[in-house]
Amino acid sequence: MKKIFTLSALALLCFGFSGEKKAYQVFDSKGKAATYEDILNAAKGADIVMFGELHDNPIIHWLELELTKDLYDAKKDKLIQGAEMFEADDQLILNEYLAGKLSENTFKDEAKLWPNYGTDYKPLVDFAKDHKVPFIATNIPRRYANLVYKRGLGSLDSLDAEAKKFIAPLPIAYDSTVKCYADIFASAGGHGGQNLPKSQAVKDATMAYFMLQNWSPGKTFLHYNGSYHSDNHEGIVWYLLRSNPRLKIVVISSTTQDNIDTLDKDSEGKGDFIIAVPEDMTRTQQ
């Protein structure tokens, strides 16, 4: 009887958890299995951490908050937060909310918040508020990105000086051969010419600009953005390194897969770390 129990116990150890559901799996750039601790350790030594997210993925949003908490424990007042989801002309409103000068309702009424702010970005902003961490609204106001899409980068020259304060200094450098912009052009079938990828580039350039305006040596800037803005060390990262090639940047990419036991080949190299989440994961509202 004892022998039967032992064999049954061994079988349970070997096979009993084979059906366990994993919410995510971390991989390194080459597709080798890694851990959250690997991400955290790399982030602690970085100047800039680009957390490339999937905007509607609850697991990725949870990991963003966890990394923020753990980086704060390590860096304290050397941590800066910032995000694509906040436009530069909302910085004053954001600062007033962080300083306790605005109620949450007033902040929500005044700022241009994304529909999923309450579930996905409010925890990050409130962490900054509670711990007095600077939070930078890095993105170009949408109306100016739309202007580029309609009329090209040259249209920004005609803006008032006050408007230009919310955009990276003109003229904006643009290289159509950078893969992320070439891919946008190709996926649109050439519709809109180069103005479509240029409207993406002006966002990337502006986010990079405001990140560098608020970063200084010894600090770590943790930036939350759509994964496509930093995948393959392009997009925002291209502009960051163009301004300061010595920056130590850690790129985190996010993806969904049917099976997360191994990383899909087309996701290898997208980041220093790639977080794979099951394709059927529940999505948040956008």
Side-chain angles (χ1 to χ4, degrees), residues 24-28 32-36 38-39 273-276:
Y24 73 94
Q25 175 61 55
V26 178
F27 298 92
D28 66 15
K32 182 180 178 181
T35 66
Y36 170 81
D38 293 329
I39 294 177
F273 298 97
I274 302 96
I275 303 172

Side-chain angles (χ1 to χ4, degrees), residues 12 22 32 49 61-62 113 120 123 140 168 172 192 206 224 238 276:
L12 180 62
K22 290 193 295 185
K32 182 180 178 181
V49 179
H61 289 302
W62 171 67
L113 302 178
D120 300 336
I140 187 174
I172 303 291
T206 298
Y224 320 105
W238 187 83

Side-chain angles (χ1 to χ4, degrees), residues 8-150:
S8 299
L10 180 61
L12 180 62
L13 288 172
C14 292
F15 306 110
F17 299 104
S18 62
E20 183 178 350
K21 301 287 187 178
K22 290 193 295 185
Y24 73 94
Q25 175 61 55
V26 178
F27 298 92
D28 66 15
S29 62
K30 296 180 180 179
K32 182 180 178 181
T35 66
Y36 170 81
E37 288 298 320
D38 293 329
I39 294 177
L40 176 59
N41 289 334
K44 288 177 182 178
D47 298 319
I48 307 285
V49 179
M50 306 296 300
F51 203 128
E53 66 167 45
L54 304 172
H55 295 319
D56 61 355
N57 194 285
I59 296 300
I60 297 301
H61 289 302
W62 171 67
L63 287 170
E64 284 176 325
L65 182 59
E66 292 302 299
L67 185 61
T68 303
K69 292 176 181 177
D70 291 336
L71 263 185
Y72 176 78
D73 287 342
K75 307 290 292 193
K76 299 300 183 188
D77 63 350
K78 302 299 183 184
L79 179 65
I80 308 165
Q81 294 172 247
E84 168 199 0
M85 301 82 196
F86 298 88
E87 297 173 16
D89 56 346
D90 275 337
Q91 186 67 62
L92 177 60
I93 300 169
L94 180 56
N95 287 346
E96 290 173 343
Y97 176 68
L98 294 174
K101 296 178 180 179
L102 300 182
S103 69
E104 184 173 354
N105 285 338
T106 301
F107 176 59
K108 289 180 178 178
D109 289 341
E110 296 287 337
K112 301 183 292 294
L113 302 178
W114 286 24
N116 58 330
Y117 169 79
T119 54
D120 300 336
Y121 306 113
K122 181 180 184 300
L124 299 172
V125 172
D126 285 350
F127 182 88
K129 184 175 185 288
D130 292 342
H131 295 83
K132 303 187 186 313
V133 176
F135 198 113
I136 310 304
T138 61
N139 210 352
I140 187 174
R142 185 180 297 268
R143 60 190 180 274
Y144 301 140
N146 286 341
L147 183 63
V148 171
Y149 173 64
K150 293 176 182 177

